[in-house]
Amino acid sequence: MSDAEPIVRVVGVHKYFTRGAERVDVLQDLTVDVADGEFLALMGPSGSGKTTLLNLIAGLDTPSAGEVWVGSELISQMSETGLARWRTRSVGFIFQFYHLLPVLSAYENIELPLLLLPLSAADRKKQVMTALELVGLTDRMSHRPGQLSGGQQQRVGIARAIVTDPTLIVADEPTGDLDAKSADEILKLLDELQRGLQKTIIMVTHDPHAAERAQRTLHLEKGNLVEQTARKLERA
Amino acid sequence: MRHWLSGLCMLLALSSVARGEINIGDKGGITYSVSSSKTPQVVDDENEIVITADAKRLEIKFKAGRLVYDGKDCGTIKTGDRVAIEPDGKITVNDESRPVTGLVAAWRFFVKHWREFLYGSLAAALALMVLLSLIGKVPVSYNVRNLFVRWKTTVMTALAFTLVVALMTVMMAFVNGMYTLTESSGQLGNVMILSSGSNDEGFSNLAFDDVGNVEKMEGIQPYGNDKRLASKEVFVMGNQTIPVGPGQKPKRRFVQIRGIEDPVVAALVHALSLKPGGQWFSEAGVEEVSGDKASTQNLIQAVIGNGLAAEMGSDRAGGKPLTVGDTFPLADRTWKIAGVLDSSGSTFDSEIWVKRQIAGEQFGKPASYTSIVVRAAGEKEAIKLADKVKASKETALNALTEKQYYSNMAETSKQFLYAIVVVAMVMAAGGVFGVMNTMFAAISQRSKDIGVLRIMGYQRRQILISFLLESLVLALIGGLVGCAAGMLADGWTARSIISGGGGAKFVVLRLVVSKEILAAGLLLSLFMGMLGGFFPAISAMRLRALESLR
Amino acid sequence: MLSLLGTLAKFAVIIVKNVRRNLLRTTFTSLGTMTLVLVVTLVWSVLSFIDDQTSEKANDLKVLITEKNKSPSRLPYAYVSSLKEGAARAPDDVRPVDYMTWVFYGGMLDPTKPSRENFIFLIGGEPEKIPTMMEELDQLGPADRARLDRAVQRMKEQRNACVIGPEQLKTMNKKVGERIKVSGLIFKGIDLEFEIIDTFPDAAKRYAQTSVMNIEYLLAALEEYKVTNKKPHPEGDAPVAFVVLRVKNRAELERLTAQIGDSPLYTAPAVRCESQGSAISSFLEAYKDIFWGMRWLLGPAVLFTLSLVIANAISISVRERRMEIALLKVLGFRPGHVMGLVLGEALLIGTLSGVFSAGGAYLLINKLAGGIPFPIAWFQRFFIPDQALWWGLAVGAGTAFVGCIFPALSARSVRVADVFSKIA
């Protein structure tokens, strides 16, 4: 556990779905804190609830019971509209399959979340260019996703996640669709973001190699926290 | 093109007018209707009043006059008055205890201001598009590029818009051409004098004795030293046997012949002139066959309408329009063209003008006119003059302004207009279903895009705006192309018949694509786009972010 | 053979299931098809009736004798006695099989109130010729025919009897059995009183606004006028509009035309002899451009729009199902099979919607609406012909076929490998 103040606090969260008459409990009385600037990995087998937990923290879903705090905001109580607004300002998303809009260029994809913020065109351009530089794709900014490799697409995805300077970056299997080399580059990039920009990153992964990059790994099984492994902040 | 689209509005308004109520609206041209078993009559006072009736309803066009219903004089009514037939048959004028219901009032307002409504709606639709693109956060380029990506679907859908709009434009241009024709055939100051009881020159029969001194009446404009602008005419219909090759089916056509006493006066009265190179027929109206003194029959000298010259020309090899010096057979005689009327755009375009005596003798009206057309100083004077002629004790004549005569002829146009509106609406409905398919497919194809946008924080309404805008852009493109295609029809000529008030005329009309028609076409297209895009856009808006990403 | 049937049945099952998969799309496509087939049906109903009226029949054709040079045509009644024999002089000259003389008598019930409700227009002729020489009346059922025959018999016995179409009766607000007094408009001063003895049967749809009278009644009145006024009525010298003759075939028509043309009996005025079809087409010549527009602009544009709607729907379905199509190919479906599935789906939707729309139009317009109100020339209404069901089928199937041919080809060429490499 980091010493820093927790930025995310999941308190006694319960989540279930109903499938027909049957009730399926996905998360049971879960409590997790994530420190500001921490790089957290969530691991566990399919159906363990790790993605559900991520969705709750990212404000994509609301818990059946319990509270989710991000910073000073109780997001588990927000309306759908409120959540949408909050996400725009506070969360950056990175997906396994990148989910870039195929008809838009790399630049335009990255610009998308900024269009929701009250920014001038010049400010937007500045921010997009900064994000592009960070992920090292300035030379590919006018390419469409179809013209980019998987690794490059994911870097566009990351740039899009950080362009609004969010409090939190959530990544769902960010390397799941990539070959080992590209995956390594992406993980390195995430590492740099966390260390250089002090971003809080929460990442769901299957890949133990990917989890190694994180400072702390939570293992979930059937909706319960079963294990925590923490590594030293300093790495070789 | 006066108030012709108001006819359409009237049709719609009818459904909301209470039975037994006559609503007298607007200036002359606009007509309101009444359903009643008894027929009210409007006795004219000073202005143009025409009553036309069909089986189910009575239509009154007028400015002011006395209303007589069921034999009782109900006093003078004027434009804007409201007349009601009570269940007991009593007539009330402007009875405030019978308020105009909201719907009726709204319709009346709509009928009066249709042009403003048309442009207003189009402006509103375009403004909505601009507004949507301004408040929409999803960049419009996203929609436009998607239209390009699935270009086959885009082309197919836009083509459907294009076809519907183009067809509507062409059909409307035809009706507009009819209206333009009837509008431009009558001269403002002209009065048509017919035999009593007939409203059309085709049925009018003015024996020479009946005419009396009508052409000497005060109010007819003088011409030269002793003449007046009064054209005494006999209008007859002939059958022309069209020469065909051996073994071919015999063919004929109807031709309209106007016999006139004095071509110079007639030309002035009808404001027509000859095309260069032509001249009016001689005093005798005939000429000898040149170089053949032995020929027993002279050639009949004729002046022919431009349109008819072209049509008759199509009979001969090469199909070039007939021109000065050419001859044509008609009624077992040979007719020689002395001049061609510069008449396009009027009903005279399809007529043959000859000496009155010749037309009368050839077509069985040797001792009568069908009409006398006289010129008054202006529109008001013409109305007065027509009233005076009708009121004359000396002669039993009917008279109406030429404007009125021709606007009665617009009856056919109204029927066509209704038919076209029905066809256009049904076609548009078919098109809307096509658009819906396209947009629903676009949405299911891009559900992942929608999911990502929603996750990033785009609100539901932003998604709605984006997809609605896409459908509207598609409609705008299709509609614009449709308007452009429809504009090609401007100036096409088509044969038709115009009729009304019992008479009918064969005419060659010119299709006129007006600004109003283009606006209506574009509006229809945007309306289709709006309707076809709205429900799919709603369904897009309702997509759940996480589910659509799975 | 059996296995082929079995395969076809299985295909049919798959096709029906595919049609039901995206019900929304199927509904829109079929609604779109129905509305557009409706337009085509309406347009073609008008055109086919016009074509039928103007077509030249080879046998048993009617010949119209009219005034040669003038319109409206007016012939002396004296012409009739020789014209009904086809102006035959020699024993081997052609004689018509049947004839009818037509006069038109129109007038007002109340001359002080000129309105449509007050106006009646009657066709006068020899009563016994009405059932055989007036269009479509020879096709009435036995009961209706017997009723018409009774009316004819009565018109023969009672000169002032008339038969008025049901709609015309309603317009005038009169009933069978009532008497009406008409002030002549076409024949001014000839006022006639009629007894309405019957109306036309409902099966004679085209006669809803038509009325008939005995020609003798008018002729007698004209004669009376002459006696009373000591001079003939101005229109009395030539009251006949035309004479209709019936001949066996075209050869007879040509001989008849020559006989009448050569006859010295018809000089003032001269007469024109032509088949009814060609007479009607001359009358309709003025509407030719309108019919042309309906036939070659409106019709094809609607058909094309319909193909577009179907093409669009089917190509969307094919694109969505590329994976499935690839899977079917993996399972051994050949390209032809895949094409068959797509074609089958389009044809099913198109054909059913087409038949349904045309059938619905047939029922609604003919039975309920009383025809298409499109007054052009002297036709007031048009009816959907029986063959419209076939149009619906053909238009639905045809446009579906045209519309789905490209999507079907694209489905046929789906490559298994391409699809699986594009997962995600």
Side-chain angles (χ1 to χ4, degrees):
Chain A
M1 196 81 184
S2 149
D3 300 331
E5 191 67 15
I7 185 95
V8 177
R9 285 168 53 216
V10 177
V11 187
V13 157
H14 208 100
K15 180 75 186 174
Y16 63 84
F17 300 103
T18 41
R19 195 173 292 147
E22 198 187 349
R23 184 173 130 164
V24 185
D25 292 287
V26 187
L27 294 177
Q28 296 178 28
D29 197 21
L30 196 75
T31 298
V32 178
D33 280 0
V34 185
D36 195 2
E38 188 181 358
F39 188 173
L40 176 76
L42 295 174
M43 287 194 81
S46 288
S48 62
K50 56 186 190 300
T51 299
T52 307
L53 178 60
L54 187 77
N55 288 344
L56 291 178
I57 294 171
L60 292 172
D61 209 346
T62 46
S64 310
E67 290 179 345
V68 182
W69 292 83
V70 177
S72 58
E73 297 188 83
L74 179 59
I75 65 164
S76 54
Q77 297 287 312
M78 282 187 189
S79 70
E80 195 191 283
T81 317
L83 274 176
R85 264 195 213 113
W86 173 78
R87 286 199 301 269
T88 310
R89 280 181 284 108
S90 314
V91 193
F93 292 88
I94 302 167
F95 306 95
Q96 177 178 6
F97 299 117
Y98 334 126
H99 289 322
L100 303 174
L101 303 199
V103 296
L104 298 185
S105 68
Y107 181 96
E108 288 163 326
N109 265 294
I110 297 166
E111 195 187 16
L112 265 183
L114 293 180
L115 295 173
L116 294 171
L117 298 172
L119 291 173
S120 69
D123 283 343
R124 284 207 301 271
K125 186 169 179 191
K126 215 168 81 191
Q127 276 179 248
V128 174
M129 292 313 289
T130 311
L132 271 167
E133 263 167 48
L134 267 170
V135 298
L137 275 179
T138 317
D139 54 335
R140 296 289 167 104
M141 65 180 196
S142 28
H143 287 51
R144 302 257 178 106
Q147 299 163 313
L148 299 173
S149 73
Q152 286 169 332
Q153 287 189 55
Q154 192 57 300
R155 279 196 269 161
V156 175
I158 291 170
R160 183 177 66 184
I162 59 169
V163 75
T164 55
D165 192 23
T167 325
L168 196 63
I169 292 171
V170 296
D172 191 356
E173 303 275 11
T175 57
D177 198 44
L178 295 174
D179 59 81
K181 186 166 168 281
S182 306
D184 217 49
E185 281 170 15
I186 292 300
L187 289 169
K188 220 168 118 190
L189 187 57
L190 287 177
D191 203 39
E192 281 166 17
L193 285 176
Q194 186 267 325
R195 287 206 288 175
L197 300 173
Q198 294 298 305
K199 291 282 166 206
T200 311
I201 301 176
I202 305 175
M203 172 177 77
V204 163
T205 183
H206 267 110
D207 182 6
H209 177 67
E212 266 177 33
R213 293 273 180 175
Q215 294 158 345
R216 184 158 66 109
T217 306
L218 297 182
H219 292 264
L220 277 89
E221 229 166 83
K222 291 182 184 161
N224 293 302
L225 198 57
V226 290
E227 196 192 342
Q228 275 203 50
T229 43
R231 284 184 302 107
K232 278 188 180 168
L233 264 172
E234 258 62 54
R235 273 192 303 270
Chain B
M1 204 186 70
R2 202 161 45 173
H3 293 301
W4 65 270
L5 268 180
S6 73
L8 160 65
C9 306
M10 188 208 75
L11 181 80
L12 301 169
L14 256 185
S15 53
S16 57
V17 174
R19 184 184 161 84
E21 184 171 334
I22 317 170
N23 302 296
I24 313 301
D26 210 21
K27 308 175 200 91
I30 290 186
T31 303
Y32 288 109
S33 303
V34 62
S35 307
S36 171
S37 55
K38 285 180 183 144
T39 306
Q41 290 200 337
V42 179
V43 179
D44 63 310
D45 217 308
E46 51 168 333
N47 282 323
E48 52 179 304
I49 296 177
V50 171
I51 303 173
T52 55
D54 68 20
K56 292 196 183 62
R57 56 178 194 267
L58 174 84
E59 299 185 352
I60 308 169
K61 300 181 181 185
F62 79 115
K63 286 181 176 172
R66 231 151 22 85
L67 178 76
V68 178
Y69 179 70
D70 203 21
K72 281 182 292 254
D73 193 329
C74 307
T76 305
I77 50 172
K78 59 182 189 308
T79 297
D81 282 351
R82 201 154 48 84
V83 182
I85 305 168
E86 304 295 344
D88 59 1
K90 233 178 76 188
I91 292 271
T92 55
V93 180
N94 290 337
D95 184 353
E96 292 307 321
S97 64
R98 289 176 61 99
V100 183
T101 64
L103 207 60
V104 174
W107 270 121
R108 269 185 225 164
F109 187 74
F110 177 63
V111 166
K112 199 169 162 185
H113 299 282
W114 68 269
R115 205 178 257 116
E116 287 86 340
F117 271 99
L118 175 65
Y119 288 126
S121 311
L122 184 62
L126 292 172
L128 177 71
M129 281 184 75
V130 173
L131 183 72
L132 287 181
S133 59
L134 285 180
I135 60 169
K137 299 256 168 81
V138 183
V140 180
S141 59
Y142 167 76
N143 303 98
V144 174
R145 278 187 212 157
N146 268 301
L147 287 176
F148 277 105
V149 167
R150 54 184 171 96
W151 64 270
K152 279 185 205 159
T153 313
T154 303
V155 168
M156 281 194 272
T157 317
L159 251 181
F161 284 106
T162 301
L163 278 168
V164 173
V165 172
L167 263 184
M168 197 187 91
T169 307
V170 175
M171 295 191 294
M172 288 287 205
F174 178 83
V175 173
N176 197 17
M178 275 186 158
Y179 276 93
T180 310
L181 186 77
T182 47
E183 282 286 303
S184 56
S185 289
Q187 297 301 313
L188 263 187
N190 278 6
V191 174
M192 263 183 107
I193 299 168
L194 304 165
S195 62
S196 160
S198 52
N199 276 321
D200 187 78
E201 54 180 342
F203 300 121
S204 169
N205 206 9
L206 294 166
F208 291 163
D209 307 343
D210 300 344
V211 178
N213 287 328
V214 71
E215 58 182 315
K216 303 252 159 54
M217 274 179 94
E218 218 176 293
I220 302 174
Q221 292 290 95
Y223 164 63
N225 290 332
D226 51 347
K227 286 184 178 174
R228 297 206 158 200
L229 286 181
S231 178
K232 292 179 281 186
E233 308 176 346
V234 61
F235 179 75
V236 289
M237 185 93 77
N239 290 322
Q240 186 192 24
T241 308
I242 301 171
V244 290
Q248 276 181 296
K249 214 170 68 172
K251 274 174 80 180
R252 60 157 148 148
R253 80 161 55 86
F254 293 97
V255 284
Q256 300 163 122
I257 301 122
R258 189 176 296 277
I260 48 179
E261 293 286 12
D262 186 336
V264 178
V265 169
L268 283 169
V269 168
H270 295 296
L272 285 174
S273 56
L274 291 176
K275 289 174 89 169
Q279 54 183 354
W280 294 103
F281 37 83
S282 63
E283 188 59 34
V286 290
E287 67 181 61
E288 288 181 352
V289 183
S290 58
D292 185 7
K293 301 277 179 202
S295 176
T296 52
Q297 278 190 319
N298 289 327
L299 298 173
I300 296 174
Q301 293 175 332
V303 164
I304 185 170
N306 195 32
L308 187 59
E311 199 187 321
M312 280 191 174
S314 66
D315 297 343
R316 49 179 196 179
K320 266 189 22 211
L322 296 186
T323 179
V324 175
D326 286 336
T327 60
F328 60 89
L330 175 63
D332 303 321
R333 293 287 295 265
T334 303
W335 304 49
K336 188 178 174 191
I337 296 175
V340 177
L341 281 174
D342 195 2
S343 54
S344 58
S346 84
T347 58
F348 303 108
D349 206 29
S350 310
E351 291 184 0
I352 297 170
W353 284 17
V354 290
K355 189 75 190 162
R356 198 273 313 154
Q357 193 188 344
I358 294 168
E361 279 165 8
Q362 290 292 324
F363 298 98
K365 290 191 174 172
S368 59
Y369 301 118
T370 51
S371 59
I372 302 174
V373 185
V374 299
R375 170 69 61 85
E379 196 179 6
K380 277 199 183 119
E381 289 82 355
I383 295 168
K384 269 195 191 132
L385 184 60
D387 284 353
K388 215 164 84 183
V389 172
K390 270 191 286 184
S392 164
K393 296 273 188 313
E394 276 173 62
T395 50
L397 296 172
N398 186 22
L400 66 169
T401 62
E402 208 176 42
K403 278 277 165 204
Q404 188 61 60
Y405 177 77
Y406 283 104
S407 79
N408 287 352
M409 285 260 160
E411 194 72 21
T412 325
S413 334
K414 229 188 261 173
Q415 284 155 0
F416 275 113
L417 181 62
Y418 300 154
I420 287 164
V421 167
V422 170
V423 166
M425 286 299 140
V426 178
M427 275 194 75
V432 165
F433 293 122
V435 183
M436 283 198 181
N437 265 344
T438 302
M439 291 312 293
F440 270 116
I443 284 152
S444 81
Q445 220 184 340
R446 273 143 62 192
S447 61
K448 282 205 167 61
D449 290 8
I450 297 168
V452 173
L453 290 170
R454 296 273 292 123
I455 283 178
M456 279 194 282
Y458 280 83
Q459 304 280 0
R460 286 183 191 277
R461 63 165 184 276
Q462 293 293 343
I463 309 293
L464 177 84
I465 289 170
S466 175
F467 280 88
L468 198 54
L469 205 54
E470 185 165 325
S471 167
L472 283 171
V473 168
L474 195 57
L476 185 68
I477 295 169
L480 284 173
V481 178
C483 284
M487 273 169 77
L488 295 177
D490 190 65
W492 285 2
T493 55
R495 275 168 299 173
S496 181
I497 282 183
I498 55 167
S499 65
K505 280 189 165 51
F506 295 85
V507 294
V508 176
L509 57 88
R510 191 173 286 276
L511 271 66
V512 183
V513 179
S514 67
K515 291 194 298 286
E516 285 84 359
I517 291 174
L518 293 178
L522 205 54
L523 187 63
L524 178 74
S525 186
L526 289 177
F527 183 69
M528 281 166 69
M530 175 73 87
L531 215 61
F534 187 70
F535 294 102
I538 290 274
S539 92
M541 181 182 100
R542 293 162 60 99
L543 277 181
R544 300 179 73 91
L546 282 174
E547 280 162 28
S548 56
L549 273 189
R550 252 171 228 154
Chain C
M1 187 65 201
L2 259 177
S3 73
L4 180 70
L5 277 179
T7 314
L8 280 178
K10 286 211 179 92
F11 264 81
V13 170
I14 300 178
I15 288 169
V16 172
K17 281 193 173 154
N18 275 341
V19 166
R20 292 177 50 183
R21 261 173 49 184
N22 192 328
L23 269 182
L24 201 62
R25 186 174 309 142
T26 303
T27 310
F28 287 143
T29 312
S30 107
L31 282 175
T33 307
M34 283 198 253
T35 49
L36 294 169
V37 167
L38 176 69
V39 179
V40 174
T41 307
L42 296 182
V43 170
W44 285 4
S45 290
V46 172
L47 291 177
S48 82
F49 179 74
I50 298 293
D51 286 347
D52 182 58
Q53 290 284 305
T54 55
S55 69
E56 289 291 344
K57 294 175 183 70
N59 291 307
D60 197 31
L61 37 98
K62 285 186 184 153
V63 184
L64 235 61
I65 316 290
T66 50
E67 189 176 348
K68 188 182 174 194
N69 291 325
K70 228 185 83 208
S71 179
S73 151
R74 282 172 54 219
L75 300 172
Y77 186 67
Y79 278 18
V80 175
S81 61
S82 56
L83 275 177
K84 72 184 185 192
E85 298 298 328
R89 282 160 292 175
D92 58 343
D93 275 357
V94 176
R95 275 160 222 273
V97 209
D98 207 350
Y99 78 96
M100 181 174 170
T101 313
W102 284 57
V103 296
F104 296 120
Y105 177 79
M108 291 291 178
L109 298 185
D110 180 352
T112 62
K113 290 182 181 171
S115 73
R116 186 72 77 84
E117 290 94 330
N118 254 326
F119 183 75
I120 181 163
F121 180 82
L122 295 115
I123 297 167
E126 295 83 356
E128 69 274 19
K129 300 299 181 190
I130 291 169
T132 55
M133 288 301 283
M134 287 181 79
E135 294 287 291
E136 290 181 18
L137 286 179
D138 50 348
Q139 290 154 25
L140 286 177
D144 284 340
R145 178 59 192 264
R147 176 176 159 195
L148 183 63
D149 284 342
R150 277 197 302 278
V152 164
Q153 193 54 38
R154 183 132 175 233
M155 284 166 84
K156 274 169 78 175
E157 290 159 5
Q158 182 189 339
R159 273 207 307 226
N160 73 340
C162 72
V163 172
I164 298 181
E167 257 179 52
Q168 174 67 28
L169 267 184
K170 226 163 105 188
T171 309
M172 301 191 308
N173 200 16
K174 297 282 175 201
K175 285 189 192 68
V176 171
E178 281 187 70
R179 285 173 168 269
I180 49 171
K181 202 166 179 302
V182 183
S183 323
L185 268 186
I186 303 174
F187 294 93
K188 274 217 176 89
I190 305 290
D191 299 348
L192 299 177
E193 196 184 67
F194 290 96
E195 182 181 344
I196 308 167
I197 57 155
D198 203 354
T199 181
F200 278 104
D202 290 337
K205 283 181 295 195
R206 294 191 200 290
Y207 290 84
Q209 293 170 335
T210 308
S211 312
V212 290
M213 63 178 281
N214 189 340
I215 186 173
E216 295 286 337
Y217 191 31
L218 177 67
L219 294 173
L222 286 169
E223 195 56 39
E224 206 184 302
Y225 181 98
K226 201 162 134 187
V227 174
T228 341
N229 293 283
K230 310 233 167 33
K231 62 171 186 186
H233 188 275
E235 312 284 322
D237 55 338
V240 174
F242 50 84
V243 176
V244 192
L245 307 176
R246 190 198 289 278
V247 294
K248 292 199 192 88
N249 50 43
R250 289 209 64 81
E252 282 202 358
L253 165 69
E254 267 154 43
R255 284 177 61 200
L256 189 81
T257 309
Q259 270 168 225
I260 292 174
D262 294 345
S263 171
L265 295 173
Y266 320 114
T267 49
V271 296
R272 180 185 299 271
C273 180
E274 63 196 331
S275 71
Q276 182 177 283
S278 84
I280 293 177
S281 37
S282 312
F283 274 107
L284 294 181
E285 189 70 16
Y287 294 101
K288 216 168 137 187
D289 291 338
I290 295 170
F291 293 136
W292 182 90
M294 286 170 74
R295 195 186 305 267
W296 299 115
L297 286 181
L298 185 56
V302 176
L303 289 179
F304 190 67
T305 312
L306 180 49
S307 297
L308 280 176
V309 168
I310 295 182
N312 194 19
I314 297 293
S315 66
I316 290 167
S317 290
V318 166
R319 202 171 41 224
E320 276 180 6
R321 293 185 203 148
R322 286 184 84 83
M323 287 279 288
E324 255 171 68
I325 292 165
L327 186 73
L328 288 177
K329 285 191 166 176
V330 171
L331 296 178
F333 276 62
R334 288 191 292 278
H337 292 147
V338 172
M339 232 177 118
L341 284 177
V342 177
L343 275 170
E345 187 175 341
L347 286 177
L348 184 67
I349 299 178
T351 313
L352 281 183
S353 313
V355 171
F356 193 76
S357 171
Y362 182 85
L363 289 177
L364 283 176
I365 289 173
N366 286 6
K367 307 286 176 208
L368 283 177
I372 311 163
F374 183 56
I376 192 164
W378 59 91
F379 310 113
Q380 289 297 313
R381 283 173 180 195
F382 291 86
F383 295 92
I384 312 276
D386 297 346
Q387 69 259 34
L389 282 178
W390 292 109
W391 298 346
L393 185 97
V395 169
T399 49
F401 184 79
V402 172
C404 82
I405 194 85
F406 288 106
L409 284 173
S410 108
R412 185 181 185 272
S413 59
V414 167
R415 277 173 53 194
V416 179
D418 279 359
V419 172
F420 281 108
S421 66
K422 275 188 191 159
I423 294 180

